Amino acid sequence: MADFDFSSGVLRLQQAMTKGGKEVPFIAQMHEFAMRECGVPGTEFYTDAKKFVRGICETTERFDFDTPSFLWDVYNVEAEALGCRLVTFSDMAPAIDNSEPLVKTEQDLVRLKAPDPYSAGRMPMVLEIMQQVKAQTGLTPLPCYCAPFTLASHVLSFENLIVQIHENPGFVHKLLAFLVDEVIAPFMNVAFREFPDAIYADGSDAVASLPFITQDMLDEFSLSYLERLQHQTSKPVVCDNWWGDAFATDLHSFWARKLRATPAYLKIQDPDLFKLGLQPVLDYSKGKHLPIVLGVDNNILQQGPTEVLQRRVHEYMEAIEENGSGALYLCSLSAVTPTENVRTAITACHDFRAGNRPWAGQRRTGSKLEGQDNSKIKSVVSIPPTTDKRAAQTTEDEQLLDLIFDAVLDHQDKDTVELVNKALHLRIALDEILNESLIAAMDVVGEDFAQGRIFVPEMLLSARAMKAGLEVLRPILTATGEPAKGRVLLATVQGDVHDIGKNLVAMMLEGAGYEVFDLGVNKTPEQILEYADQVKPDVVGLSALLTTSMQSMQKTVTLFKEHDSKFPVLVGGAPVTAEFATVIQADGFGEDAPAAVETVHRLVSNLSESNCVSN
């Protein structure tokens, strides 16, 4: 007999996602939260299948979740099995460290060996988790996988993946084909063979979301390989976690792509859902008779406030009820999500189902309430294309500066280097090359990104071209003692090994004329403070991509304050908000790379004014 009985909640969910049910169910990604609540360190929780499953079951019962979610750290398993370095933590899920990519060249790809699901890395543990789910609950386990594009970003690193798509797409296609044919499909087929009752497998592919990549990239390098995977597995595979709906130029076209990856329902989550509003979603889903899964923002789940969280839960459940089928999704309950907020969200779900609905009929989605900024919604606001080239100049020198400017915008590394060398040969002043071509081009890139005209890949490629030109100038700038605008220390905080955003900020800061000291990833508060004391930066920039590592960001800011540090601290990263920056008393916040550069400008300017006053 099974130790835990979740059959009533599972039945509610099954009915709601097919023919519709009397009560709207809720689901949650909860493995990190369960790890903390059951008191098992991450080094054990993510390596011991029995403790993993029991911890989730006990947390589900204690908090009265409808159903348990046995999703593990799904992004890491296949990458680790291939040979990527896995970094483990006691208080959070493990993460892949791709600062030294497993694959850099086609020769590296040739040397890769297909992992054996029965022996490679933690693949056997995943199979054991599924066995434990069946043993402890009697439920049919759900096989899960890391989707091809996101797996490629681990194996190759995100930055290198984007560069290779631009310069050598054939190599990327070979890598993705290998990952589908030799890694993911065999792994899922083993899972289907070991657990024949499993109906389908579910994938995760967050890196393939807008604006991390463009829609063209999504079509060619993500969706096409998910469809390739669908043809190689013995049972259906889906992938439902692309986000970035608010960045789509054509919502219905974007949602049609989502349905090609997950045909049975449409999933949309915050912050995109709040920005877009519920009505476009309901109009689309009702027209196609689709169940909907609506996701509540993990920032609200983590930060509240209480009434905002309650209202959001009720508003989304009311929309699901109006639609006739679907489920509420509580996004990413992490190791730093407050217990009281989880209880608040679950109580709000139960209250709604019991008929306690104080905000019935009230909608806040699609508005600027609760501090939301809808100014960058490309799917709603049509933004005319900008002119990528400057107006033609008259003199030969000015024409050459224009060509350098255009080469950066066109992502032409080699052309930028050649043109900068030519400009030096013609004795064009260094400050003109730097300010009127390289920096000016990146100013345009930053504005285009802020207005939604370009996405992260175009910004990254332009930053690389700018950096290539800057490398030509650097020895001369150093020899002539040309002063930098300021010094900036960057680091990804402890518990986080991601460096996508940090690297992009570093390149854009260099292009803007700053001297950048990159401390790297997974740095403790003490390491960051010690290095800051050594290099005396004008600004310290902290990056986090995981909600869990935001706690380390807070500790770092607190340590700087306790030591009466004079260095202004700027924070940023995917889960970081302006509200969070205010709460932890950071000196600045960067919503994205261009915004981070603008904030550095302001902080350095304030520092200069302060020094002038004191003198």
Side-chain angles (χ1 to χ4, degrees), residues 30 83 156 237 254 268 273 280 285 314 317 364 425 446 451 457 459 469 488 490 527 531 579 598:
M30 57 184 293
L156 198 60
V237 294
F254 183 64
I268 306 171
L273 179 56
S285 58
H314 278 223
M317 292 187 82
R364 292 196 165 196
H425 180 72
Q451 294 299 325
M459 185 164 56
V488 182
L490 298 178
Q527 287 174 316
Y531 201 72
E579 291 77 14
E598 286 300 314

Side-chain angles (χ1 to χ4, degrees), residues 41-62:
T43 48
E44 295 179 31
F45 193 75
Y46 293 98
T47 56
D48 188 319
K50 189 172 184 179
K51 289 181 179 179
F52 179 88
V53 173
R54 178 161 292 276
I56 289 174
C57 288
E58 290 175 348
T59 303
T60 301
E61 281 194 341
R62 187 181 314 133

Side-chain angles (χ1 to χ4, degrees), residues 63-74:
F63 286 83
D64 200 16
F65 284 89
D66 275 357
T67 58
S69 167
F70 297 105
L71 183 69
W72 47 89
D73 58 309
V74 69

Side-chain angles (χ1 to χ4, degrees), residues 552-599:
S552 298
M553 184 175 279
Q554 182 170 4
K555 290 178 179 177
T556 305
V557 174
T558 299
L559 184 65
F560 272 63
K561 301 291 184 186
E562 289 175 349
H563 282 72
D564 197 26
S565 168
K566 305 301 181 185
F567 312 119
V569 179
L570 161 71
V571 298
V576 181
T577 63
E579 291 77 14
F580 177 74
T582 300
V583 168
I584 67 174
Q585 297 184 311
D587 299 287
F589 164 67
E591 182 181 18
D592 48 44
V597 174
E598 286 300 314
T599 304

Side-chain angles (χ1 to χ4, degrees), residues 28-48:
Q29 180 180 322
M30 57 184 293
H31 57 86
E32 275 196 347
F33 180 75
M35 174 205 70
R36 185 193 73 197
E37 288 298 313
C38 70
V40 178
T43 48
E44 295 179 31
F45 193 75
Y46 293 98
T47 56
D48 188 319

Side-chain angles (χ1 to χ4, degrees), residues 313-514:
V313 167
H314 278 223
E315 184 172 349
Y316 288 3
M317 292 187 82
E318 187 176 71
I320 295 164
E321 189 174 72
E322 179 183 335
N323 188 65
S325 58
L328 181 77
Y329 174 48
L330 304 179
C331 306
S332 301
L333 303 181
S334 74
V336 295
T337 305
T339 299
E340 59 270 23
N341 286 7
V342 175
R343 293 198 184 279
T344 294
I346 294 174
T347 299
C349 292
H350 292 312
D351 284 348
F352 180 87
R353 294 199 298 226
N356 181 11
R357 305 180 181 187
W359 305 288
Q362 298 180 25
R363 287 191 180 174
R364 292 196 165 196
T365 59
S367 72
K368 291 187 179 181
L369 296 170
E370 298 172 10
Q372 299 286 344
D373 179 8
N374 298 340
S375 62
K376 298 179 183 178
I377 302 177
K378 271 64 65 181
S379 53
V380 177
V381 181
S382 177
I383 301 174
T386 188
T387 301
D388 285 346
K389 314 295 182 186
R390 296 193 303 187
Q393 303 292 334
T394 55
T395 70
E396 182 180 353
D397 286 1
E398 289 171 333
Q399 289 174 358
L400 183 54
L401 292 174
D402 282 344
L403 289 174
I404 297 172
F405 178 95
D406 292 343
V408 171
L409 291 183
D410 292 337
H411 321 141
Q412 300 300 316
D413 301 19
K414 292 181 180 178
D415 288 353
T416 303
V417 169
E418 291 175 2
L419 291 166
V420 169
N421 276 314
K422 184 176 180 180
L424 290 173
H425 180 72
L426 294 176
R427 299 185 181 279
I428 297 177
L430 287 177
D431 63 332
E432 291 187 25
I433 301 172
L434 186 61
N435 296 319
E436 296 185 25
S437 293
L438 299 178
I439 293 178
M442 291 311 297
D443 286 343
V444 171
V445 168
E447 177 62 20
D448 281 353
F449 181 81
Q451 294 299 325
R453 299 182 184 111
I454 63 172
F455 286 173
V456 170
E458 295 103 329
M459 185 164 56
L460 175 62
L461 292 170
S462 284
R464 288 184 77 254
M466 173 278 302
K467 188 172 182 178
L470 186 62
E471 290 301 318
V472 177
L473 299 181
R474 195 185 304 278
I476 306 171
L477 291 169
T478 302
T480 58
E482 186 74 20
K485 288 184 178 179
R487 304 165 68 124
V488 182
L489 171 64
L490 298 178
T492 300
V493 296
Q494 186 177 22
D496 204 326
V497 294
H498 299 88
D499 60 4
I500 298 171
K502 174 180 64 63
N503 291 350
L504 186 52
V505 170
M507 284 191 285
M508 294 193 72
L509 282 171
E510 287 185 330
Y514 290 90

